[in-house]
Structure formats: C-alpha cells, structure tokens
Amino acid sequence: SLGYNVVGAMNTALAYDSSAPYGYMVMNGVVLGTPDVHKGAQTYLAIDGEGNCELRSMSTPLNGSEVTAISANFGWLIKDGELQIKTVEREENASRSMIGIKADGTLVFCQVDGRNEPMSSGLSGYEMGEMTLALGCVNAVNCDGGGSSTFVSKREGETSNTMRSIPSDGSERATINSVILVSKAKATG
C-alpha cells in the first residue's frame, strides 16, 4: 500500500503484447513512457501541477508541465465540441471506456458494459460520442472497449474498491494503462 485513498479506477488501454506503456505515461512528473507507433495509442490525458486537464493527440509532444499523463487506446469522440464520428458505423456495440472534459474543466470518466445481452448491449463509437456530448463534454476520447473495459470504485461508507462493471469476457482482461482516482481526504469508511 502506498498510502493513497484510491476511490476509483478505469482502464484506458488493453495489453496487446508487452508490459510497456502504450504512449505517453507520466507519474509525479517522471516520464515513464513515450509513443511507440507500433502500439497504436492515439490520444492521451495530460494533467499539470495546477490540476488543469487536457486531452491531446499522441502527435502532440509533452511540454514539461505534465505531472500526470496517461495514454488512451483509441481516438477522439468529441474534439472542440464537435462529434468526431459523424455517422453510425458498422461497428459492433461493445463495452467502452471514455475520458472527457467539460467546458469548465471538469474531468469525466465513463464506462459502459456490453456484449452481455440481455443485461447490457454496449454502445458503438458513434453512440458513445453522442453520450459524451449529452454529458456536457467538449473533448472526449475513446479509451478502450470490449472485455478490458472495467471500472472500480469505493463509494461513501465503503472501505474497499469494488468492480462496478461486468467484463464481457466473463472475467477481467489484462490492461496496460489505467487511470486511478485518488482522494486527498483520509479514508474513513
């Protein structure tokens, strides 16, 4: 235990063939990963020392202000307030994980279950984009999908994190990048 009060976590990229980060990874200002074109991460979340959050294309380099950065497997759902997937594609509905940012800077994490009829059918990329717009996001990226899309949280009054999603593979799939939500407040249960 590192002494952090972890209140939630969500995957941002599945593990293909290595344990190395897929794209930019910065923890406590230390760069632990840089883009590898063979891994395919397209976007990343960057957070500076003041807590300002920004979603960036992987082609945008780190500028040195990042205290935290984590890559996301897939591309933009919403960019500058505009839906990036313009039509309903012939894509299978699936579980999906998303990071978004509202106009006021609020960071949004969202995970939907899928591939588990009749309990959950999931969303296409287009539908996930529509949902992020409805949530008020002006920028949003599609982190991951399918069996590796998972979300855990510790709700008020609980003493441990619990998986809130139902992985479509029937169990958790290995992931390489995840975002962890930490409270500065001492855990009290």
Side-chain angles (χ1 to χ4, degrees):
S1 171
L2 298 173
Y4 295 116
N5 181 13
V6 176
V7 295
M10 183 185 76
N11 71 304
T12 61
L14 65 102
Y16 286 108
D17 58 1
S18 145
S19 60
Y22 294 176
Y24 289 118
M25 178 180 274
V26 178
M27 291 180 67
N28 297 321
V30 178
V31 178
L32 302 173
T34 57
D36 180 340
V37 295
H38 304 293
K39 301 291 189 218
Q42 297 177 27
T43 53
Y44 69 102
L45 169 67
I47 304 173
D48 68 18
E50 302 296 317
N52 299 306
C53 303
E54 183 180 7
L55 290 167
R56 301 175 184 165
S57 294
M58 199 57 68
S59 60
T60 303
L62 298 173
N63 61 29
S65 69
E66 301 84 4
V67 173
T68 301
I70 187 76
S71 61
N73 247 26
F74 301 114
W76 295 95
L77 293 168
I78 308 296
K79 190 166 185 186
D80 299 326
E82 187 175 326
L83 186 64
Q84 296 300 293
I85 302 171
K86 304 289 186 185
T87 60
V88 177
E89 65 277 13
R90 295 181 185 268
E91 178 181 53
E92 175 186 10
N93 283 7
S95 306
R96 299 204 184 266
S97 303
M98 174 278 297
I99 295 174
I101 300 175
K102 294 183 176 186
D104 67 0
T106 301
L107 199 54
V108 176
F109 298 95
C110 181
Q111 187 274 330
V112 296
D113 283 346
R115 296 182 184 163
N116 190 17
E117 299 283 353
M119 299 296 291
S120 59
S121 59
L123 297 174
S124 69
Y126 175 80
E127 291 168 327
M128 192 70 168
E130 286 187 318
M131 188 176 81
T132 58
L133 274 176
L135 290 171
C137 295
V138 293
N139 289 299
V141 296
N142 185 1
C143 296
D144 202 3
S148 55
S149 270
T150 54
F151 185 83
V152 300
S153 69
K154 178 171 42 177
R155 296 177 179 161
E156 186 174 353
E158 296 178 341
T159 58
S160 61
N161 282 284
T162 301
M163 184 180 299
R164 305 298 176 182
S165 58
I166 301 172
S168 64
D169 289 350
S171 62
E172 292 177 84
R173 189 188 292 174
T175 59
I176 202 75
N177 291 342
S178 296
V179 63
I180 297 172
L181 308 171
V182 177
S183 172
K184 292 181 179 181
K186 183 178 179 188
T188 64

